[in-house]
Amino acid sequence: MNNKPRIGVYVCHCGINIAKTVEIDPVTEYASQLPNVKVARNYSYMCSDPGQLLIREDIEKEGLNRIVVASCSPRMHELTFRKTLAEAGLNPYFLEMANIREQCSWVHEDVEEATAKARKLVASSVAKARLLEPLEEKEVDVEPATLVIGGGIAGIQAALDIANAGFKVYMVEKTPSVGGTMAQLDKTFPTLDCSACILTPKMVDVASHPNIELMTYSQVEEITGYVGNFEVKVRKKARYIDMEKCTGCGICAEECRLKNRIPSEFDVGVGKRSAVYLPFPQAVPAKYTVDPERCLFLTRGKCGESPKCADACPSQAFDFEQADEMVEFKVGAVIVATGFDVFDASRKPEYGYADYDNVLTALEMERLVSASGPTGGKIVLGKGDEAYTPKDIAFIKCVGSRDESVGNEYCSRGCCMYTAKLAHLVHEKIPDANVRIYYMDVRAFGKGFEEFYDRVRREGVRYIRGNPSEIFKRGDKLVIKVEDTLTAKALEDEVDLVVLAVGLEPRKDVREIIDLLRLSQSGDRFFLEAHPKLAPVDTATDGVYLAGCAQGPKDIPDTVAQAKGAASSALILLSSGKVKVQAQIAIVNEATCRSCGYCVEICPYGAIEMVEANRMGHIVSVARVNEALCKGCGACVAGCFSGSIQQKSFKDAQILPQLAVLGVK
Amino acid sequence: MTEELQSFIEKYDLLGCIQCGRCTGGCPVTVRTDLNVRRFVYDTVDEEALEELAKMPEVWDCTACNTCAVRCPKGLKPVEVLIGLRNIMVESGVVQPTVRDALESVFREGNPWDKSRATRNDWMKDLEVKMAEPGEPVENLIFVCCTIAYDPKLQVVAQNLVKLLNKAGVDYGFMDTSETCCSSEVHNLGEEGLFEMMVEDNTELLNEYAAKRLVAISPHCYSVFKNQYPDLKAEVLHYTHLVGEILEDKKLELTRELPEKIVFHDPCFLGKQNNVYDEPRYVLGQIPGAELLEFDRSRERSLCCEGGGGKMWVETESKKERLSETRVKDAKELGATVLAVACPFCVLTLDDSLKAKGFEEEMRVAEILELLGEALD
């Protein structure tokens, strides 16, 4: 090809988006006069098929070797037009875009000034286009396996979908069992399906699937590498039980000296467990775990003559010498399904959660109404002789949600419906109970939700519009201080039981995952998706996808749908088997590099390392960019003290002439 | 009028309200008056209605305890809407004579009690008091409060603090009679113009002292200095911070046993408004022989005594039980022998109610410094 630039300029009307504010014809005419410009045209929608055809035909007929499209932001259509160039046999990096929409027509009103600015932008793009160089797009192989972090319903669904498609899955779950929060629920709204009944088959599938390697009671310690080629290190924590030998019989827990003394995580403290425990009867795997922070033998080195649990174990599964085990493997994709924390109700001290035993959170209430819970599903408060069945029961919604005073501005999306469900269950179990729900809005947006809300009201659950402000005690009763905002009356409502509909929060240890994968958080502190509408399961890190409440509060239907979306995204990557890596990367001039290593520090992708190089017989340390990891952000280029780093397509020699046209010296 | 309306809506972020009702739900005076602060937030969006709304008598029932603002999930301050309405009345000159007199007294004599400025430090008589001088470095500049300085029942609070500080040997200084009302209550009574002037003058006066810390005895002075005096140079403390520090550092030991059952009442301007809950309890806990009790409604859920928000000068027309009466009844039920407080207004309201209920035999109201004085001797 003749290297002399033959440039085509294409000015887009974008309907009236650009044409309303920028006069297209004068800009086109101006462009045609610029040096090296052979063709200048305009069209209503350059991104449309006919628009792209114009470019392809001109490349063929006029022998164009550089293309400038003056239209929208490159974020929108750079890839579209690169493809157009490639289809016409031109290197796709001979494209330059002039953004005359977002940075011109959309932000200006004066037609004359906007047109003048569009001219300048086009001229500067032409200036750079002359200096563009062809770049080569490299491809790397994709490791056909996925890491799923988190074994709740989101992780379970994603893992099963990927495994069923024939790819390997490594699932890492922090607690001793998969199941997550869904396993703790009694019934699910609005269909009142038994949560365990629909979840446990999937839990078992995960454990038995030939393509899934399940690691419970384990934590991801390190992830390095890049899309298609992540290296993962996992710590499998010591259970002090030989998983091969344990049959899950439970004799050890019966013998434990701390039996019924330790608050059960699964029963959120409503029930108690031993120091050696199975989190819940349907736990998967059905293997016991010794709690190293509670076990007398592990904490004090002594438990009676010898630990009764180990003595009683019929299969000699105990091994108090067991150590953590490190496992390493490679995956092509990562799905983050780490779930959420329930809002800590003691952060709203006015509700007395820390003061009164008969103020419960909704999750505690779930365990209380659940047939598998500590009371066998009976709603009983107090113990022994003082046990009683509450008759006046109030639910308070939006506890820790929609509340700037605790830093959570968002709606937790599930509380309205789980409150209706719990109220229904209470009504069913205590038919003569007076159940009221204090609310500020009822958000019943999902399929079948409004119908369920209607049903619960007609069953006799009273909805009172007002968000309570304070709870205190008067005799045996709790007093709720609240205004009925529909009658403008301040009430002191006396009840036996208050259930706080607590919201969902990002995990307290969210930082660990951020550090592992360099993820970002949105304003609500949940993980940030690549685009809220069009890339809801992707992240800014290629090959890393989000599923479930880690990305934001969700109910079960939405969580499952998103998990299937994340699985699908991972599968696209895995089944294509190849991934293209960024071509516009940074390159180091090793001859001038001064070995300071500052670029290594500022690279947000960990793509630069210091290597030894031979400089005229001397071994020196120089920076080198890993081409597969570099995202072309340019931070190192700007940061380099000796000007030794340049970014392809954005070299000083290319962008300084471009800036000069804009009047920047 | 449109400009004024915009300022009202914008000043109080009225459009941020979602009408959840937590403000009125938490408002302590709703059990005895018709005040519904949520409705005022709703209704004041209408520019035409402002003047009529300002005339409603319940505007003056608010005690400025701040519960509505603390509980609001959207960061609004409903209490300030009521103060804004009071301002409309003050501007138009239609206020109760008691309010007018108090404001005039602040303007003329630097205190709301119609007392002469010259006698402000009479409580110091016969005491060895270290005085601070402008420009001379002092660690703790003590701010007394008008009510404590002039009320014969409360002067002992300041006097005991002097004794305590002398004994502990910490660096402190009091101001001469130029000490002027902090004007917390001027703000709460809606006299915005006077308040702004007082903030400016007081800031200038207080900054003349080269004090590291400004220690207020009253929570009302403490709160306003801390939150509404943006240009003060000194760090603002309540005296329970300072005394707590002294006791913790063992600069002072309380020796005399006080075999009392003490229950502490959280002043709104210390607790709810500034989250100071632990220091007063720590100080009380150092008194030998005393047993500390807790109200069910304590700390963040404490009940207002109805002493703030200008209520010293505006009586609520209600036959229903005063909150201070509820409070002394609760204290008696707990078996307390001392109802301890750390605020001059709380002393006055609770002591009145204790006498009205005839509980003097079995119980008394005492400022923490009164108790410390007894434990020192």
Side-chain angles (χ1 to χ4, degrees):
Chain A
M1 187 194 292
N2 185 350
N3 267 339
K4 195 160 179 266
R6 296 174 62 84
I7 303 173
V9 179
Y10 300 86
V11 186
C12 182
H13 297 237
C14 196
I16 58 163
N17 274 303
I18 297 171
K20 191 179 69 179
T21 325
V22 171
E23 289 182 297
I24 302 293
D25 283 337
V27 174
T28 315
E29 170 62 24
Y30 169 79
S32 70
Q33 307 296 321
L34 294 166
N36 305 111
V37 172
K38 293 294 156 214
V39 181
R41 297 184 197 278
N42 61 65
Y43 190 69
S44 52
Y45 291 101
M46 281 310 301
C47 60
S48 66
D49 277 348
Q52 293 184 53
L53 187 64
L54 281 179
I55 299 176
R56 285 205 303 272
E57 283 179 353
D58 285 348
I59 290 172
E60 279 157 27
K61 287 185 192 148
E62 307 285 338
L64 301 181
N65 56 15
R66 305 281 194 281
I67 302 296
V68 171
V69 181
S71 59
C72 48
S73 157
R75 258 190 87 99
M76 196 77 201
H77 277 307
E78 191 170 47
L79 289 179
T80 311
F81 294 116
R82 272 190 197 156
K83 232 173 100 199
T84 311
L85 267 65
E87 280 165 6
L90 202 59
N91 186 289
Y93 293 89
F94 280 135
L95 170 75
E96 187 61 27
M97 292 189 73
N99 182 352
I100 59 166
R101 192 178 75 171
E102 286 85 344
Q103 292 176 355
C104 187
S105 70
W106 278 0
V107 290
H108 298 299
E109 282 170 6
D110 187 294
V111 172
E112 205 173 305
E113 285 179 348
T115 305
K117 179 172 171 183
R119 268 196 216 108
K120 270 198 164 182
L121 288 169
V122 169
S124 77
S125 291
V126 168
K128 183 180 171 191
R130 277 184 212 118
L131 303 161
L132 286 174
E133 295 167 341
L135 300 183
E136 190 191 341
E137 286 183 336
K138 288 184 185 160
E139 282 187 334
V140 293
D141 288 336
V142 172
E143 183 70 28
T146 304
L147 165 68
V148 174
I149 309 176
I153 182 58
I156 289 172
Q157 187 61 54
L160 286 174
D161 281 10
I162 294 168
N164 286 336
F167 290 93
K168 174 94 186 167
V169 175
Y170 298 90
M171 175 182 276
V172 178
E173 162 60 38
K174 196 164 64 174
T175 71
S177 171
V178 294
T181 312
M182 186 176 170
Q184 294 173 277
L185 308 181
D186 181 41
K187 302 273 172 64
T188 56
F189 62 78
T191 49
L192 296 176
D193 285 303
C194 155
S195 191
C197 311
I198 57 176
L199 177 66
T200 44
K202 283 180 184 279
M203 290 162 58
V204 173
D205 285 352
V206 163
S208 60
H209 203 292
N211 285 342
I212 300 180
E213 188 171 330
L214 176 60
M215 286 169 263
T216 53
Y217 206 52
S218 300
Q219 252 170 318
V220 180
E221 298 254 306
E222 191 182 298
I223 300 178
T224 53
Y226 51 94
V227 54
N229 296 276
F230 294 105
E231 313 256 355
V232 185
K233 275 188 199 160
V234 171
R235 177 184 297 276
K236 293 170 94 168
K237 288 186 282 182
R239 290 177 120 103
Y240 305 100
I241 300 273
D242 187 331
M243 293 274 277
E244 301 290 319
K245 291 182 185 163
C246 177
T247 60
C249 70
I251 292 171
C252 54
E254 285 298 317
E255 292 298 322
C256 176
R257 285 195 166 81
L258 297 177
K259 186 187 168 193
N260 289 332
R261 304 266 291 275
I262 300 167
S264 147
E265 291 82 359
F266 183 77
D267 283 332
V268 274
V270 180
K272 301 276 196 291
R273 62 167 169 85
S274 306
V276 56
Y277 67 108
L278 192 66
F280 54 103
Q282 305 93 329
V284 170
K287 309 284 180 188
Y288 277 72
T289 304
V290 179
D291 181 342
E293 279 162 26
R294 298 290 193 149
C295 168
L296 294 173
F297 189 71
L298 286 174
T299 52
R300 300 184 195 171
K302 197 169 184 309
C303 176
E305 286 295 302
S306 67
K308 282 161 80 179
C309 52
D311 294 346
C313 177
S315 40
Q316 282 93 46
F318 277 79
D319 175 8
F320 284 109
E321 303 295 313
Q322 204 177 66
D324 292 358
E325 187 191 340
M326 295 303 295
V327 190
E328 294 182 26
F329 51 88
K330 240 183 126 177
V331 296
V334 179
I335 292 179
V336 177
T338 46
F340 63 95
D341 276 340
V342 168
F343 176 77
D344 173 9
S346 63
R347 283 170 57 203
K348 298 286 292 174
E350 59 266 37
Y351 290 149
Y353 174 69
D355 304 293
Y356 307 124
D357 290 341
N358 45 349
V359 177
L360 300 180
T361 67
L363 197 55
E364 289 165 350
M365 193 64 184
E366 288 283 351
R367 298 313 304 149
L368 206 55
V369 297
S370 169
S372 73
T375 59
K378 272 193 192 153
I379 305 173
V380 187
L381 300 171
K383 291 208 171 63
D385 292 346
E386 293 182 355
Y388 65 98
T389 302
K391 286 281 144 56
D392 282 294
I393 300 169
F395 288 83
I396 298 178
K397 293 215 284 193
C398 299
V399 178
S401 308
R402 305 178 65 192
D403 191 341
E404 286 176 19
S405 73
V406 292
N408 294 344
E409 286 178 51
Y410 55 85
C411 162
S412 287
R413 291 173 57 106
C415 325
C416 276
M417 293 316 292
Y418 79 55
T419 303
K421 173 202 71 182
L422 284 171
H424 161 84
L425 294 174
V426 168
H427 217 269
E428 196 174 65
K429 288 176 188 254
I430 315 173
D432 61 341
N434 299 310
V435 183
R436 52 272 215 185
I437 295 177
Y438 287 104
Y439 72 101
M440 42 193 195
D441 290 299
V442 175
R443 293 180 172 172
F445 51 84
K447 192 167 181 170
F449 289 9
E450 183 70 16
E451 295 89 325
F452 187 71
Y453 168 44
D454 287 340
R455 169 184 168 178
V456 170
R457 277 195 333 276
R458 290 206 169 92
E459 285 171 352
V461 171
R462 182 102 171 112
Y463 275 75
I464 303 173
R465 195 191 175 283
N467 203 285
S469 197
E470 201 165 296
I471 292 173
F472 58 92
K473 215 164 182 167
R474 185 178 288 150
D476 294 337
K477 294 277 191 178
L478 291 174
V479 180
I480 302 177
K481 246 180 91 52
V482 57
E483 183 200 2
D484 181 340
T485 58
L486 297 182
T487 58
K489 282 209 175 70
L491 311 172
E492 289 195 343
D493 188 13
E494 299 194 351
V495 298
D496 304 312
L497 168 64
V498 174
V499 182
L500 304 176
V502 283
L504 279 54
E505 283 197 315
R507 289 268 185 210
K508 282 177 197 67
D509 54 6
V510 70
R511 192 75 239 170
E512 287 174 20
I513 301 288
I514 290 173
D515 290 344
L516 276 178
L517 288 160
R518 292 182 295 276
L519 294 179
S520 302
Q521 289 168 288
S522 37
D524 55 14
R525 310 182 315 286
F526 289 97
F527 291 128
L528 178 67
E529 62 286 330
H531 189 285
K533 295 177 184 66
L534 302 178
V537 301
D538 304 76
T539 66
T541 309
D542 288 344
V544 178
Y545 310 100
L546 302 173
C549 292
Q551 181 259 344
K554 268 173 211 69
D555 57 20
I556 296 168
D558 284 0
T559 295
V560 171
Q562 203 195 22
K564 291 179 99 62
S568 157
S569 287
L571 283 169
I572 292 168
L573 178 68
L574 300 181
S575 57
S576 74
K578 299 264 182 202
V579 61
K580 272 189 189 160
V581 296
Q582 171 70 263
Q584 294 172 321
I585 55 165
I587 36 168
V588 181
N589 182 350
E590 294 185 4
T592 58
C593 172
R594 288 190 198 157
S595 328
C596 71
Y598 184 56
C599 53
V600 178
E601 247 173 75
I602 57 178
C603 176
Y605 305 99
I608 310 180
E609 56 180 345
M610 300 304 290
V611 296
E612 285 186 349
N614 186 328
R615 192 182 284 164
M616 293 187 289
H618 300 284
I619 302 299
V620 292
S621 170
V622 296
R624 191 169 289 166
V625 175
N626 180 328
E627 298 189 358
L629 289 179
C630 177
K631 296 274 178 215
C633 72
C636 58
V637 181
C640 179
F641 292 108
S642 58
S644 299
I645 313 182
Q646 290 286 298
Q647 188 179 335
K648 293 179 179 176
S649 283
F650 296 91
K651 293 179 177 173
D652 289 353
Q654 293 167 324
I655 55 175
L656 293 179
Q658 178 183 22
L659 290 170
V661 174
L662 294 172
V664 182
K665 281 165 197 158
Chain B
M1 196 64 194
T2 312
E3 259 176 45
E4 202 177 315
L5 154 86
Q6 274 177 346
S7 75
F8 215 81
I9 289 181
E10 281 168 17
K11 192 170 176 188
Y12 304 114
D13 191 21
L14 299 179
L15 302 181
C17 173
I18 51 168
Q19 293 291 315
C20 70
R22 266 191 212 165
C23 47
T24 298
C27 177
V29 302
T30 53
V31 295
R32 56 188 307 256
T33 85
D34 290 334
L35 176 62
N36 185 326
V37 67
R38 176 190 58 81
R39 291 215 49 184
F40 279 103
V41 173
Y42 187 74
D43 291 339
T44 47
V45 172
D46 177 9
E47 62 174 300
E48 308 287 332
L50 280 184
E51 275 172 44
E52 282 308 306
L53 289 167
K55 286 180 191 152
M56 292 173 79
E58 57 262 39
V59 168
W60 296 91
D61 287 340
C62 171
T63 66
C65 73
N66 216 38
T67 308
C68 52
V70 173
R71 302 281 159 76
C72 177
K74 297 292 168 186
L76 272 68
K77 295 190 170 108
V79 50
E80 296 293 334
V81 173
L82 296 174
I83 291 171
L85 291 173
R86 289 180 182 182
N87 180 241
I88 291 177
M89 295 308 283
V90 171
E91 294 281 308
S92 67
V94 194
V95 288
Q96 298 187 30
T98 44
V99 172
R100 185 199 58 214
D101 293 348
L103 294 172
E104 270 180 23
S105 171
V106 171
F107 182 69
R108 278 187 290 102
E109 297 293 335
N111 73 78
W113 298 114
D114 211 12
K115 303 279 185 193
S116 143
R117 181 185 280 283
T119 62
R120 188 174 181 104
N121 280 350
D122 284 4
W123 63 269
M124 292 182 181
K125 216 175 131 222
D126 301 331
L127 269 178
E128 216 178 281
V129 184
K130 280 189 209 156
M131 300 304 289
E133 297 293 336
E136 279 181 28
V138 60
E139 178 81 15
N140 301 293
L141 180 66
I142 315 290
F143 191 91
V144 178
C145 164
C146 309
T147 310
I148 293 170
Y150 290 109
D151 192 313
K153 211 158 44 178
L154 289 164
Q155 286 171 343
V156 61
V157 171
Q159 288 159 350
N160 281 0
L161 183 61
V162 171
K163 289 180 197 163
L164 190 148
L165 294 175
N166 283 346
K167 215 163 193 177
V170 294
D171 184 25
Y172 76 89
F174 281 77
M175 294 167 73
D176 61 19
T177 53
S178 64
E179 182 184 288
T180 302
C181 181
C182 70
S183 295
S184 164
E185 291 297 271
V186 173
H187 168 76
N188 292 336
L189 285 167
E191 182 35 306
E192 227 17 71
L194 179 60
F195 178 67
E196 278 168 27
M197 192 184 101
M198 300 302 287
V199 170
E200 207 171 297
D201 292 355
N202 266 332
T203 303
E204 199 182 323
L205 176 71
L206 292 166
N207 283 347
E208 277 175 23
Y209 290 86
K212 217 162 153 194
R213 316 197 290 186
L214 176 63
V215 183
I217 306 185
S218 164
H220 292 257
C221 313
Y222 165 67
S223 188
V224 75
F225 286 147
K226 194 164 171 238
N227 303 309
Q228 289 171 282
Y229 279 66
D231 297 324
L232 274 187
K233 285 189 195 143
E235 182 195 354
V236 181
L237 266 67
H238 182 246
Y239 82 83
T240 54
H241 289 117
L242 175 61
V243 174
E245 213 175 84
I246 288 170
L247 293 173
E248 206 175 5
D249 294 348
K250 306 244 180 282
K251 286 185 183 159
L252 187 77
E253 223 173 309
L254 304 173
T255 46
R256 208 173 122 200
E257 294 234 338
L258 280 190
E260 305 270 18
K261 291 184 173 176
I262 304 174
V263 65
F264 179 66
H265 163 83
D266 287 284
C268 303
F269 280 68
L270 199 57
K272 273 180 188 156
Q273 302 202 14
N274 294 293
N275 291 313
V276 180
Y277 296 112
D278 297 329
E279 286 80 356
R281 288 174 171 78
Y282 173 76
V283 170
L284 287 170
Q286 300 303 304
I287 297 176
E291 182 190 343
L292 283 200
L293 308 173
E294 276 291 352
F295 281 115
D296 171 55
R297 304 178 76 174
S298 70
R299 299 176 70 97
E300 292 91 345
R301 296 185 294 119
S302 183
L303 189 63
C304 175
C305 78
E306 289 186 89
K311 297 302 290 176
M312 286 288 148
W313 301 276
V314 188
E315 190 54 51
T316 289
E317 303 289 334
S318 168
K319 298 264 185 302
K320 292 183 183 152
E321 185 174 83
R322 290 169 192 273
L323 301 182
S324 49
E325 288 173 356
T326 311
R327 210 57 172 160
V328 293
K329 271 165 62 185
D330 286 349
K332 189 173 166 241
E333 210 166 293
L334 273 176
T337 56
V338 177
L339 175 49
V341 291
C343 168
F345 293 161
C346 294
V347 173
L348 298 175
T349 52
L350 292 170
D351 199 44
D352 277 356
S353 290
L354 181 120
K355 284 176 181 141
K357 288 275 160 198
F359 293 163
E360 296 107 312
E361 293 280 302
E362 51 267 71
M363 198 167 76
R364 62 175 167 140
V365 174
E367 224 284 349
I368 290 180
L369 280 166
E370 286 182 67
L371 299 174
L372 293 180
E374 293 168 28
L376 263 184
D377 286 347

